[in-house]
Amino acid sequence: MTERLRKHNSNHKGFTGGLADWEVVYYEKHINKTSAYQRERVVKSWKSRKKIEELISN
């Protein structure tokens, strides 16, 4: 998790490269990178701010 956040906050080209203001507000533990990536895809597919805010608040 810390390596991924460091990459987001580093100065590089791309969507997350211009700003260094990312912070962790929610995380889930997974047994491997594959299951973590699959869960990330599910959450990102929601496209619903309300649903994501509910996830974070629980």
Side-chain angles (χ1 to χ4, degrees):
M1 179 175 60
T2 56
E3 178 64 18
R4 188 169 173 101
L5 183 61
R6 185 193 66 76
K7 285 181 180 180
H8 278 302
N9 283 331
S10 69
N11 188 14
H12 66 280
K13 291 182 181 180
F15 181 75
T16 64
L19 302 170
D21 61 350
W22 288 80
E23 65 180 277
V24 176
V25 295
Y26 176 82
Y27 74 96
E28 295 177 9
K29 290 186 179 184
H30 291 269
I31 59 172
N32 57 44
K33 196 172 183 176
T34 302
S35 68
Y37 181 74
Q38 288 171 342
R39 176 64 173 159
E40 181 180 6
R41 299 279 72 176
V42 168
V43 173
K44 286 184 175 183
S45 75
W46 291 343
K47 304 290 185 196
S48 167
R49 182 181 183 105
K50 183 178 178 182
K51 193 168 182 177
I52 293 170
E53 286 175 345
E54 288 174 5
L55 174 68
I56 292 169
S57 68
N58 289 329

